[in-house]
Every structure is written in structure tokens, then in C-alpha cells.
């Protein structure tokens, strides 16, 4: 084994692994890492081992486990929050932070809403959101920050529109959800519950017009008492908003950066827009914005010639997993013609694979199509090495992406 590598580390290129992860890549598929507080954990970096472990019930997603690994001081500080804030956190991790059978029950509700038919029906709404924000960006003139002017608001507003939050209420909803971690967490939670109850009451949601409508119908079919419906729906909405917005907006921003760094691949997409769905998956693989998926071993696990002991933290380093040369030919290349473009683990794998993957793909496809069609001269407004990357942690993003057209 190599010496334990510090984890997480900052990227220097938006869409490439942190340079300090090279020893982890060389040590595939399993290595020791050192977290911010000196605790050691495991880094999984091999594709085959990732699929094996993420499907193993002994690899736990239970955030309440005292042995749950934390990657940074901010995450550790959350453990000292008051009761109200902890309640909100428990709501936001009610799907991703529990194991079966509790997880399975909640996931079935979410999966039943994200049908391909509903997502396809929502595409015109998403396109309208993308066009509206691009209109505003263009009207203000170049250069522009593609993160703040397009990627972030398109991902967020597209979620609001597809969830069924009226446009006139979206700014209110945004402000309130941003306060859910603050000292007024309980009051904000209760206010949002009341808001959703009133929304459902004054504007009946049809199953085919929004995800909120689909959730309302499903909860009602399960016989949930009427006064319990808003709380259950709020829980699912918050999970989708918190987990979906940042990952999707960062994927759009860093994906656009990768395209602008590869003008020949960008030209290929402009010449053949039918390649956009495959390009979205390929960009998701290469970008790997959620770069340190966390788990804890619930039992001893004998694997890869060693033992992951009960209580050991396990991090799945997606930027390395999605570049495993034993699985991918030319893993550093952007290739729209890979034989199975959707076999990456950018959305996870196993029971906890992203439940909103079809919606995320739809938002990204529409965002990239809009940019390709309407801004044929899109280019970086600064030198590539001047693009500021957010400090690493285990979630990747851009501070800004200056562009011109």
C-alpha cells in the first residue's frame, strides 16, 4: 500500500481529477486516504470494485452511524447543530442517508414519479426556462459568467417549473429553502409545509403536469391522511431540490468548460445534434462532479486482497473510477461514440443510484442544445488556466465561467 493520500484535494482543471490523486489512480482499485482530521478511510478507485461494493448491503448509507466519515470541518460542524437544524438535515437525507428497508419504501415513491413519460412531457417547460435565461444573458452582452447567468438559474428554475412551484412563488421558495439550515430551521420548515398545503388546496395538481402532481396522486393512492400529505411531499421536494440543483448546474457549467476546451468535439456536436444525449453521458462521466461518494462499512468486508473493517469510512472517487483504463478505452478522451455511453457511475450505482437521473439528463440535454443552437460562436472569454475552480472538498464546481459569443 502507498502512504495514505490526503482527501479531498482541489482540482486545478475543472474536469480532471485533483493532481494529488495520482497515487490513488496508480494503486487501483483500493487505497488508504487521510481525512482533514487525521482519520484514515478507504478510497475506491476501480470501476468493477465500485459496482460490487455499491450493490453490497454491508456498505451503509446511514448518516446517523457514529462512524460515518466526514470529509471536512464544515460537515463535522453539522453534527453539533441544534435539534431544529438536525431535523431539517434528517429530512434532506431521508432518501439518500438511510438503508433498506426504510430506503426502499421511500425510493419506490420517488421512482414512481420520475417516469420517462412525465419527464418527456416536461421538456417544453425546461426549454422555455433555458431560452428565457439565455435571452437575458445575451441582452446584457458579452462577456458573461455562464455559471451565474445560465447554468445555475436554468438548473434551479427548471426544477421549480417541473416540480410545479408557480413562477410567482419561486423567489420566495428559493429564499426559504436557503434558510433551512439556519437558526430558524423549524419555523422555516413549518412555513414551507403550510405553503405546500395551500398550494395543493388552491391549485389541484394534475399527475401529467408536474412532479408535484405526480407525488400528490401517489401519496393519496397510498392512503396517506390528508393532513400528512404536505409533510411527505415537502420531504421529497427538498431532497430533489438540494440534491438535484447543485449537481445539475455544476455538470452544465463544467461540461460547457470541457466542451470549450475541446473545440473539435464541440464542432462535432454542432454538426450532428443527435449526438447530444450521448455527449451528456460522456460529459457526466468525465466531469464527475460528485467526486467523493461516502459510505461506512456495517460489517467486515473481505475484498481486493484486504479487509474493509466494520466502521471504516469508504469514499468512492468518481473522477478516477470513471477513468479506469481497465474499463474505458482512452479514458481521458471525450468520445461521443462509446459503445455504452451510459455505463458510467456518475449518477451512482446500486440501490442509491440517482432517482432523478432522467430529469437531470433532460435538463442537461436541453441546456447544451440551447447553447449549441443559439450561440454558434460561444467561446471562453479568458485563458483556460484562468478559470477559477471551487476548492475541492468532494463536490466539484466552478466559481465562474467567463464566456463570449
Amino acid at each position: 500500500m502507498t502512504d495514505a493520500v490526503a482527501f479531498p484535494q482541489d482540482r486545478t482543471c475543472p474536469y480532471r481529477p485533483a493532481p494529488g490523486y495520482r497515487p490513488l489512480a496508480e494503486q487501483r482499485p483500493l487505497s488508504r486516504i487521510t481525512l482533514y482530521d487525521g482519520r484514515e478511510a478507504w478510497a475506491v478507485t476501480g470501476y468493477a470494485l465500485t459496482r460490487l461494493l455499491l450493490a453490497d448491503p454491508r456498505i451503509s448509507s446511514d448518516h446517523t452511524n457514529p462512524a460515518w466519515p466526514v470529509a471536512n470541518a464544515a460537515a463535522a460542524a453539522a453534527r453539533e447543530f441544534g435539534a431544529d437544524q438536525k431535523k431539517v438535515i434528517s429530512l434532506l437525507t431521508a432518501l439518500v442517508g438511510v438503508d433498506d428497508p426504510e430506503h426502499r419504501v421511500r425510493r419506490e415513491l420517488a421512482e414512481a414519479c420520475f417516469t420517462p413519460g412525465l419527464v418527456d412531457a416536461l421538456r417544453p417547460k425546461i426549454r422555455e426556462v433555458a431560452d428565457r435565461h439565455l435571452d437575458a444573458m445575451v441582452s446584457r452582452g458579452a462577456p458573461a459568467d455562464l455559471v451565474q447567468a445560465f447554468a445555475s438559474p436554468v438548473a434551479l428554475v427548471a426544477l421549480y417549473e417541473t416540480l410545479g412551484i408557480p413562477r410567482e412563488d419561486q423567489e420566495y421558495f428559493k429564499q426559504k429553502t436557503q434558510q433551512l439550515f439556519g437558526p430558524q430551521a423549524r419555523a422555516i420548515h413549518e412555513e414551507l409545509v403550510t405553503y405546500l398545503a395551500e398550494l395543493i388546496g388552491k391549485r389541484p395538481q394534475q399527475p401529467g403536469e408536474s412532479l408535484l402532481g405526480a407525488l400528490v396522486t401517489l401519496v393519496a393512492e397510498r392512503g396517506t391522511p390528508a393532513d400528512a400529505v404536505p409533510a411527505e411531499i415537502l420531504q421529497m421536494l427538498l431532497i430533489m431540490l438540494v440534491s438535484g440543483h447543485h449537481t445539475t448546474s455544476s455538470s452544465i457549467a463544467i461540461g460547457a468548460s470541457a466542451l470549450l476546451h475541446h473545440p473539435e468535439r464541440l464542432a462535432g456536436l454542432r454538426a450532428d445534434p443527435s449526438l447530444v444525449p450521448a455527449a451528456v453521458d460522456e460529459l457526466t462521466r468525465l466531469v464527475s462532479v460528485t467526486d467523493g461518494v461516502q459510505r461506512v462499512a456495517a460489517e467486515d468486508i473481505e475484498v481486493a486482497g484486504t479487509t474493509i473493517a466494520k466502521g471504516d469510512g469508504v469514499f468512492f472517487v468518481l473522477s478516477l473510477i470513471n477513468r479506469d483504463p481497465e474499463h474505458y478505452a482512452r479514458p481521458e478522451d471525450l468520445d461521443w461514440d462509446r459503445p455504452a455511453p451510459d455505463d458510467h457511475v456518475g449518477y451512482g450505482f446500486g440501490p442509491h443510484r440517482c432517482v432523478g437521473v432522467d430529469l437531470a439528463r433532460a435538463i442537461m440535454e436541453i441546456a447544451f442544445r440551447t447553447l449549441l443552437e443559439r450561440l454558434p460562436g460561444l467561446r471562453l472569454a479568458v485563458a483556460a488556466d484562468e478559470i477559477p475552480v471551487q476548492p475541492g472538498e468532494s463536490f466539484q464546481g466552478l466559481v465562474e465561467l467567463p464566456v463570449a459569443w
Side-chain angles (χ1 to χ4, degrees):
M1 300 291 285
T2 60
D3 292 336
V5 172
F7 184 88
Q9 296 185 35
D10 294 348
R11 291 184 181 183
T12 54
C13 173
Y15 54 87
R16 290 195 175 102
Y21 290 171
R22 181 176 296 276
L24 302 181
E26 295 171 347
Q27 187 65 26
R28 282 191 179 96
L30 190 66
S31 304
R32 295 294 281 174
I33 53 175
T34 302
L35 305 180
Y36 81 101
D37 57 358
R39 176 184 175 183
E40 288 199 354
W42 293 100
V44 181
T45 54
Y47 180 90
L49 183 58
T50 294
R51 289 170 66 100
L52 178 69
L53 289 176
L54 286 178
D56 191 322
R58 295 173 296 177
I59 290 290
S60 172
S61 297
D62 182 5
H63 289 202
T64 66
N65 187 325
W68 182 258
V70 291
N72 54 64
R79 292 179 176 250
E80 306 302 321
F81 281 170
D84 290 352
Q85 291 165 301
K86 286 183 176 179
K87 178 180 179 181
V88 170
I89 291 174
S90 71
L91 285 171
L92 297 180
T93 59
L95 183 61
V96 298
V98 297
D99 296 323
D100 288 340
E102 185 179 5
H103 165 260
R104 187 183 305 112
V105 172
R106 291 172 177 169
R107 185 177 178 89
E108 286 175 355
L109 174 63
E111 285 180 336
C113 299
F114 283 99
T115 64
L118 178 58
V119 171
D120 284 343
L122 294 171
R123 283 176 178 266
K125 286 186 179 181
I126 300 170
R127 179 63 195 242
E128 188 278 330
V129 170
D131 281 333
R132 176 158 39 101
H133 285 86
L134 194 62
D135 286 342
M137 186 181 85
V138 170
S139 69
R140 289 192 292 268
D145 174 11
L146 197 70
V147 174
Q148 294 301 320
F150 186 77
S152 182
V154 165
L156 184 61
V157 176
L159 283 171
Y160 287 153
E161 293 283 340
T162 58
L163 287 170
I165 306 300
R167 187 173 300 179
E168 63 270 20
D169 293 345
Q170 289 172 8
E171 183 60 31
Y172 159 82
F173 205 81
K174 176 182 177 181
Q175 292 177 3
K176 293 302 178 181
T177 53
Q178 289 175 340
Q179 298 171 30
L180 276 170
F181 291 108
Q184 301 300 315
R186 182 180 291 275
I188 297 298
H189 170 262
E190 292 175 352
E191 183 176 340
L192 287 173
V193 169
T194 300
Y195 164 81
L196 285 170
E198 293 176 350
L199 176 61
I200 294 166
K202 71 182 180 183
R203 181 185 164 194
Q205 302 289 321
Q206 298 301 318
E209 70 176 16
S210 69
L211 288 168
L212 179 57
L215 278 167
V216 170
T217 300
L218 283 167
V219 172
E221 288 175 350
R222 290 170 180 237
T224 304
D227 59 357
V229 169
E232 189 165 350
I233 291 174
L234 174 63
Q235 180 170 292
M236 297 304 300
L237 285 175
L238 292 177
I239 290 169
M240 287 184 276
L241 286 171
V242 172
S243 64
H245 170 226
H246 293 296
T247 52
T248 304
S249 64
S250 289
S251 294
I252 294 170
I254 304 181
S257 171
L259 282 173
L260 294 171
H261 279 75
H262 295 80
E264 74 290 351
R265 308 307 291 152
L266 181 57
L269 280 185
R270 287 199 172 106
D272 185 0
S274 70
L275 294 172
V276 168
V280 163
D281 269 311
E282 176 69 345
L283 287 165
T284 301
R285 177 192 72 83
L286 198 76
V287 166
S288 298
V289 295
T290 308
D291 202 13
V293 175
Q294 296 153 273
R295 296 290 188 269
V296 62
E299 301 177 25
D300 288 356
I301 303 172
E302 300 288 338
V303 68
T306 190
T307 301
I308 299 176
K310 179 180 179 179
D312 281 355
V314 183
F315 288 80
F316 294 84
V317 189
L318 300 191
S319 62
L320 298 181
I321 295 163
N322 281 329
R323 286 173 166 81
D324 187 343
E326 293 190 7
H327 185 75
Y328 296 104
R330 306 177 312 280
E332 292 292 341
D333 292 352
L334 275 176
D335 184 355
W336 312 147
D337 298 315
R338 292 191 184 276
D342 62 348
D343 77 338
H344 59 81
V345 292
Y347 296 110
F349 184 77
H352 283 274
R353 185 173 186 265
C354 175
V355 71
V357 58
D358 289 337
L359 180 58
R361 279 192 179 117
I363 294 173
M364 291 172 63
E365 286 177 20
I366 291 168
F368 286 124
R369 283 184 186 275
T370 303
L371 291 172
L372 290 169
E373 292 171 4
R374 298 190 52 195
L375 295 181
L378 186 67
R379 62 190 183 277
L380 293 175
V382 298
D385 59 2
E386 294 179 17
I387 297 173
V389 182
Q390 288 180 358
E393 305 305 345
S394 56
F395 181 86
Q396 306 300 326
L398 292 177
V399 177
E400 61 181 358
L401 182 60
V403 296
W405 51 88

